[in-house]
Amino acid sequence: MRGSHLSRTRTLAAVLTLAVSGAVALAGCGQKQQTVGSAPPPKKPDAFEQRADQIVRDWPQVSPVHGRQQALLPLVGADRPKDTGAREITVTVGHSACDVHFGARSHESKGLVVVTGWGKRKSAKGMCTENLATDKVKIQLKGPLAGRKVVDAATGKQLLKG
């Protein structure tokens, strides 16, 4: 009897040690095993974030993106802000006439503001013309433009210098 009591004590001590360390695996009747205390996987950068990082790293030796991607639509242009302290820029997005939503986004670094247009199309059902629509979109910056270059993510071309 004494041996089984010692065995239960050791088992209980081992379970408590694992529980305190945060690496315990829980299992229930008929349920999958689940690990408790692990961090969620890191968010994978999307196509624009990857492209913006590449432009910042390789500037000014940047080539255009091949093909047309809904997350990296080329910009038609950018309006020069009134002063270098501006925290907002206006760009002209060229998008499909079939896009139900469109806009622009930015990625800021010390010397560059990388911008792109984006669009979301209607469902694939029905016909869609290949007409290009253009609309002005305002982008809020985290910091003042302050002499940074504004670069189109799709083409890799400088649109303006703040």
Side-chain angles (χ1 to χ4, degrees):
M1 181 91 163
R2 185 173 183 175
S4 68
H5 182 268
L6 185 59
S7 176
R8 279 190 300 222
T9 304
R10 286 183 186 158
T11 303
L12 182 58
V15 169
L16 288 174
T17 301
L18 287 174
V20 170
S21 73
V24 134
L26 300 176
C29 292
Q31 295 177 358
K32 291 173 36 177
Q33 190 171 1
Q34 178 181 359
T35 302
V36 177
S38 62
K43 181 184 165 206
K44 183 180 176 189
D46 66 14
F48 170 67
E49 291 165 336
Q50 290 175 9
R51 174 66 174 165
D53 286 341
Q54 175 198 11
I55 289 172
V56 169
R57 184 179 57 248
D58 298 344
W59 184 259
Q61 304 300 322
V62 181
S63 300
V65 172
H66 298 291
R68 188 170 173 92
Q69 300 176 29
Q70 289 300 103
L72 289 169
L73 296 179
L75 298 173
V76 177
D79 296 347
R80 181 164 304 285
K82 296 191 186 312
D83 62 72
T84 60
R87 289 182 176 255
E88 177 181 273
I89 55 175
T90 302
V91 296
T92 304
V93 178
H95 60 91
S96 166
C98 295
D99 288 337
V100 291
H101 301 289
F102 61 88
R105 59 190 280 209
S106 66
H107 174 91
E108 298 179 46
S109 73
K110 183 178 177 181
L112 300 175
V113 176
V114 181
V115 292
T116 192
W118 59 267
K120 293 196 183 220
R121 295 210 170 170
K122 295 177 186 174
S123 70
K125 297 176 185 175
M127 294 181 59
C128 179
T129 65
E130 293 295 324
N131 292 344
L132 177 69
T134 58
D135 285 282
K136 291 193 179 263
V137 177
K138 292 182 185 216
I139 299 174
Q140 297 298 317
L141 302 176
K142 294 175 186 169
L145 191 55
R148 295 185 288 175
K149 296 174 175 106
V150 177
V151 179
D152 182 342
T155 64
K157 293 182 180 176
Q158 182 175 329
L159 297 173
L160 52 93
K161 181 175 179 179

